[in-house]
Each structure stands twice: as structure tokens, then as C-alpha cells.
Amino acid sequence: MNTSVRPPKFEVAVVGGGIAGLLCAFVLSKNTSIEVHVYEAAHQLSEVGAGIGIFSRVWKIIEELGLAESLLPLANNEAALTFHMRKSDSTEGLSFHDMNDLGINSVLRCVERAWINLPGTIMTFHRAELQQAILKWLPSSCKVHLLKRLTSVDEPDSMDLPVSLHFADGTTATCDLLIGADGIKSEVRMSMYRSRAAKARSQGKEEVADIWMRYLRPVWTGSVAYRGMVTKEQLMSLNRGSEPAVCKRPMMYCGSLRHVVGYPISNGNIVDIVAFTTDTDLEGAPFDAPLVSVVSNEEFVSKFQGFEQEVQDLLRFVDKPTRWAIHTVTPLPSFVSKRIALLGDAAHAMAPHQGAGASQAVEDTYILTSLLTHPLCTQETLPFALEIYDRIRRPLANAVLEGSRRAGFLFDFNLPGLREDDIMQKGADGTLRPSMEVLRQVGQTMDTIQEWIWKRAVQKDRECAITMLEECCSRGSLRVD
Ligand SMILES: Cc1cc2nc3c(=O)[nH]c(=O)nc-3n(C[C@H](O)[C@H](O)[C@H](O)COP(=O)(O)OP(=O)(O)OC[C@H]3O[C@@H](n4cnc5c(N)ncnc54)[C@H](O)[C@@H]3O)c2cc1C
């Protein structure tokens, strides 16, 4: 009797072993009819930086994927998980808003884990712990190839020929579907848009080619972020009589063109710090220094001179802070071609001011893998699935990208009507004081920017994507209404 094993319905190459690539590889590998290879440039899979926030809307995906139980112990689940905003750029700080509180946070804090299901809350993780957990779940059928830096991609027009991947070590690989999860400087994105530009040029459309070329490289926002960690023990050693607020909940310390974010990770034993300075005139300018560098604590602390004591206490213990030039991807007109899909930062690297990059990467993975693992998705219908992924995910991801830019301006008191000059108002005695009225508007504007978090569940988007795939397949046409 012939017991030959059926060949996989398609072979997938995932380029990049960050959170997006690994999670995608994990979900696809669960489907035995899909063969998955991960190609990673580094010699080992590791994460740079400390904290990462996951919105509760994304936690529902984690639950659906069956990963919640193993991840929950890694989350900082003791804290009240909405950001508390303060105006902090003077010796006397001033509390003015709880972000996304929706008026229920204080009640539900008393009920164990009830906050997990609240739309405005976030769970915070240590990046490396999260990545290592995903790595552990990868089945042995998923092959991870390290030291494979992708240098170019060939996507033939004919669907009968495979996509070819070329690596820096001179080797090549082929696949039916290429998923570019290779981060902000994505070679997959560059190859995709370079080839569009080349095609336009070959048709004499120079202007169109120039437009495609704009999407290749990320652009500097004019901001730098200083990152580091302190332990709760260090903060407690200051003996100010009580546990600092930031050990218990995420804090947003706002100031004119500078702001500091702190939130507890590793069950509240560590506080992750990201502190930003911005020169808006430099948005879009080239950044002429290494994108990431280690700086001295003195340089770091000097940037936030004049901030309230609570912030000074946080910054003084940060050992070897790193400075990151914050770049973003120009919102793309497409995340896909016929057999290539961009995922995570490769598709929509955004400023980290909503802490939404990783959550958006998980949402991409959820929609894309739901389509790819659907029984109707085959080699032939793959272009439908990718087109639908693009139609469903791109509008939201690009809107979150733009919202993150605005959020940065807001925390820096740098939006029209909400600038430092608008906030500081003369009292009856002639002294300048912050206006609570204007600060409340700052808080409300932030809640409006983040409405996407609770307005539409990502599960609805998934349902919509599956319906579109079924309709496309029954019509046999690529038209996606
Ligand atoms: C300062 C800062 C703070 C942030 N804070 C948050 C937060 O609180 N919450 C949040 O959700 N997000 C946050 N983000 C964003 C978040 O880090 C990213 O959105 C997320 O890590 C993206 O994951 P990714 O897998 O798409 O990309 P990456 O993590 O960048 O992974 C890409 C992988 O691809 C590999 N690679 C790159 N090029 C190649 C190549 N040519 N060939 C093969 N492999 C390659 C890389 O080595 C890497 O392993 C922050 C970002 C910054 C800069």
C-alpha cells in the first residue's frame, strides 16, 4: 500500500526571528500542511531592550493561540495597567490624567485579573523573556537558520516559479511565500519596492519609480530615546518612605519637547525607562551618528534637568543607558505583492509613543496566519489571501503609526493649542501656573488618539478577512470589495 506523505500545500520562508517572525512561524508550524523556515541574520535569537507592552485586545489573541497560561507568569500583573500622566518638567510635578482609564480601572483593580479583559489596559513584559517563551513553543518541524542575512529577493512573475532568497554568505533558498519580518530596515521591503521602481523605470515612468523608492528606507523622527532599567531595590534604597509610583503602575512624565516613560516589568522588580528628547526641525533629516549607542549616565541625566524629583530619582541609577535614534517607516501603500507579505516593523515601524509596535505585529500575525491556514488558501489562492491581509491590516496599522507620531507630540506638549505656552497661564497674582483645563485637554486628546484600541476588536477583522477569502475563492476573482 502506498503510504506516501502528502507534500505541504506551500513552503513559507519567514525572514527575521524577532517577536513578529517567531510568533508567525509558531502559528504556521502548527498547521502540518505548511512547511516553515525561519532565516535570521544574527548568530542567536535575542532581544535588545527591556520592556514591551501588550494591549489587552492583543492578549485575547494570545489566549486564542493557547499561549496565555505560559505567558501570564511573565507579565507584570500586579500593577494598575493604564498610564498615569504628570506634567513633570518643573520641581513641582502635577498629576493630570489616567490614560484610557474608561472610568473603571480603580474598581477592577480589586478583582483579580479582571483588568486583563479591559480594553484600555496593557500588560508589560520583559522582551527577552517573551521572545524566549515563543522560541520554546516552536515545534521541531520549524527549521530556524541562524547567520542568514538576506541580501536580495527574486519574485518571478510566473506563479509556477518559486521566490528566491539570497543571503550574505552566498547561499540561496526558495519558497512559495516569503514573509518579511525583518524589522525596520527590512531587506524584504527594500527588495519589494526596488523591484516596483525598476519595473516603473523599464516602462519609462521615472516619477512613479521615484515614488516607490521613497518607501525603501526608514526616516528619522527628530527624536532620540534613552533606554535603561532600574531595580525596585535601588529606588527603595532612596528611603523616601514609600514605594515610588512607577513600581506600581506605568507613568508618563510629560514636559516641553522631552518626556520620560517608566513602567514596571518582571513582576514589579524592575522599572523600564524610555526617555525622549525631540527637535521637530530635524524630522526627516539624516541622522549622522550610530542609530544605537551607549551614553554616560551624566549625559542622560543632563537632558532632563529641571524635571521633578520623582524623575531624577529614576534616572540617576540607570547604568549605561542606550540612545536610540527613533526612525519610522513611511506609511506604505501596500504590505504585499503576489507572494510576499510584510509583517511587524518591516511593514509599519512606528514611533514607540503608544507602545503599540509589538501589539501591531501580533495583530498582523493573527490576520495573516488565519488566512494562510484556512483550508481554502492554496498555492493558487495565495495572492487573494495576501491582498486581503493588506486590505484588512494596512489601514489600521498605518493609522496607529500616524497616531504614535501625534502621541509623541502630545507628551512633549507640542500640538496646536496644547503647547507649553498654552498650558502655562498667569494667575491673579501674576505668576505662571499650569492650567488644569488645558492639561485635561491633553489627556482627552490622548484618549482620542487611542480609541482604536477599544473601538473595534481584532477578532471582527479576522471574521471579515475570512469572509472575504471565502467570497474571493467562490468568485475566483481577485476583486476584494
Ligand atoms: C525605544 C523603543 C521602545 C519600544 N517600546 C515598545 C512597547 O512598549 N510596546 C510595543 O509593542 N512596542 C514597542 N516598541 C516597538 C517594538 O520593539 C517593535 O515594534 C517590535 O519589536 C517589532 O518586532 P519585529 O519582530 O517586527 O522586528 P524586530 O524585533 O526588529 O526583529 C527583526 C528581526 O529580523 C532580523 N533581521 C533584520 N534584517 C535581517 C536580514 N536582512 N536578514 C535576516 N534577518 C534579519 C533581526 O536580526 C531581528 O531579529 C519599541 C521600540 C523602540 C525603538
Side-chain angles (χ1 to χ4, degrees):
M1 197 171 77
N2 183 357
T3 55
S4 62
V5 182
R6 277 174 48 190
K9 66 177 183 179
F10 41 73
E11 286 180 23
V12 178
V14 178
V15 176
I19 287 166
L22 288 183
L23 193 64
C24 182
F26 161 72
V27 182
L28 291 180
S29 306
K30 285 205 292 188
N31 188 306
T32 50
S33 64
I34 300 179
E35 188 177 314
V36 185
H37 292 259
V38 177
Y39 298 97
E40 164 59 47
H43 70 285
Q44 62 176 28
L45 294 169
S46 60
E47 269 285 329
V48 189
I52 204 140
I54 297 284
F55 290 115
S56 57
R57 69 187 251 126
V58 167
W59 186 252
K60 291 200 176 67
I61 298 176
I62 306 272
E63 284 176 334
E64 256 183 65
L65 297 178
L67 306 175
E69 210 166 297
S70 48
L71 277 190
L72 200 53
L74 304 178
N76 180 61
N77 56 358
E78 294 303 318
L81 290 149
T82 57
F83 272 91
H84 180 66
M85 296 173 85
R86 278 174 76 79
K87 176 167 167 46
S88 296
D89 55 351
S90 60
T91 42
E92 287 290 312
L94 179 62
S95 286
F96 65 89
H97 188 67
D98 282 333
M99 267 159 66
N100 309 336
D101 195 358
L102 309 180
I104 41 186
N105 199 32
S106 53
V107 179
L108 283 155
R109 219 174 289 160
C110 312
V111 185
E112 199 195 357
R113 290 182 184 169
W115 51 266
I116 287 175
N117 291 315
L118 289 177
T121 56
I122 57 162
M123 302 173 76
T124 52
F125 290 89
H126 195 296
R127 267 165 201 265
E129 289 174 0
L130 185 61
Q131 192 196 37
Q132 288 308 311
I134 306 175
L135 249 184
K136 266 195 222 145
W137 305 319
L138 274 190
S140 56
S141 61
C142 171
K143 301 280 178 290
V144 179
H145 310 266
L146 298 174
L147 282 172
K148 289 287 173 194
R149 177 168 292 282
L150 185 82
T151 51
S152 66
V153 176
D154 289 328
E155 184 189 13
D157 284 337
S158 161
M159 290 289 287
D160 296 332
L161 297 170
V163 178
S164 301
L165 284 62
H166 303 270
F167 299 102
D169 63 1
T171 59
T172 57
T174 57
C175 61
D176 302 312
L177 166 64
L178 168 59
I179 297 180
D182 48 347
I184 186 164
K185 289 194 253 168
S186 170
E187 179 54 48
V188 178
R189 181 184 70 245
M190 290 199 269
S191 288
M192 186 194 266
Y193 279 90
R194 255 195 311 260
S195 107
R196 282 180 192 191
K199 207 169 197 174
R201 245 177 221 123
S202 73
Q203 295 164 348
K205 298 176 183 164
E206 286 298 323
E207 275 176 26
V208 177
D210 288 346
I211 291 172
W212 290 134
M213 292 301 283
R214 277 188 220 149
Y215 298 109
L216 260 59
R217 289 180 208 293
V219 176
W220 185 33
T221 56
S223 295
V224 295
Y226 295 87
R227 305 176 80 179
M229 288 182 272
V230 292
T231 64
K232 180 172 165 181
E233 219 175 16
Q234 285 170 319
L235 294 172
M236 293 302 281
S237 73
L238 290 171
N239 198 14
R240 298 211 190 274
S242 60
E243 197 178 348
V246 71
C247 291
K248 294 181 236 149
R249 69 176 308 177
M251 298 291 291
M252 182 68 66
Y253 301 103
C254 303
S256 181
L257 295 177
R258 296 171 295 168
H259 67 274
V260 177
V261 183
Y263 56 88
I265 56 170
S266 291
N267 274 312
N269 293 316
I270 296 177
V271 173
D272 187 44
I273 298 166
V274 193
F276 298 86
T277 61
T278 298
D279 183 340
T280 39
D281 289 343
L282 293 177
E283 192 176 19
F287 186 79
D288 295 326
L291 293 191
V292 183
S293 54
V294 178
V295 298
S296 67
N297 179 272
E298 290 72 32
E299 177 188 327
F300 173 45
V301 171
S302 72
K303 301 287 177 193
F304 298 91
Q305 259 175 12
F307 268 58
E308 61 175 315
Q309 191 61 46
E310 192 171 320
V311 176
Q312 301 299 338
D313 286 351
L314 260 187
L315 307 187
R316 67 200 278 179
F317 288 115
V318 177
D319 187 30
K320 299 195 187 77
T322 47
R323 189 190 65 190
W324 298 57
I326 302 298
H327 285 65
T328 58
V329 166
T330 303
L332 299 178
S334 168
F335 290 174
V336 300
S337 65
K338 274 190 191 161
R339 279 175 301 157
I340 301 178
L342 300 173
L343 191 77
D345 275 11
H348 45 63
M350 53 189 73
H353 303 302
Q354 295 190 82
S359 288
Q360 283 300 291
V362 176
E363 292 190 26
D364 291 346
T365 300
Y366 181 62
I367 300 296
L368 183 61
T369 58
S370 297
L371 289 161
L372 296 177
T373 55
H374 192 284
L376 284 175
C377 186
T378 61
Q379 288 257 19
E380 291 68 41
T381 60
L382 203 50
F384 295 179
L386 298 193
E387 181 68 22
I388 294 165
Y389 162 68
D390 182 61
R391 300 264 175 121
I392 295 283
R393 281 297 305 143
R394 190 165 42 84
L396 178 63
N398 280 349
V400 178
L401 193 164
E402 177 52 27
S404 298
R405 178 173 176 269
R406 287 193 72 219
F409 290 147
L410 195 66
F411 300 143
D412 282 346
F413 299 139
N414 190 27
L415 278 185
L418 303 175
R419 296 189 209 282
E420 186 73 4
D421 288 353
D422 304 299
I423 293 166
M424 297 308 286
Q425 294 187 359
K426 259 193 193 145
D429 60 357
T431 55
L432 279 176
R433 287 207 190 86
S435 150
M436 273 315 281
E437 173 67 30
V438 181
L439 285 173
R440 261 194 286 274
Q441 283 175 37
V442 171
Q444 281 160 9
T445 306
M446 190 57 212
D447 287 351
T448 310
I449 288 174
Q450 293 211 309
E451 265 174 11
W452 63 273
I453 297 173
W454 54 86
K455 254 194 163 167
R456 184 183 164 89
V458 63
Q459 284 71 15
K460 280 263 169 252
D461 287 343
R462 179 183 181 274
E463 273 169 36
C464 187
I466 297 296
T467 307
M468 282 161 95
L469 181 68
E470 287 166 356
E471 282 173 11
C472 270
C473 290
S474 78
R475 263 204 314 258
S477 103
L478 240 180
R479 191 164 55 88
V480 183
D481 297 324

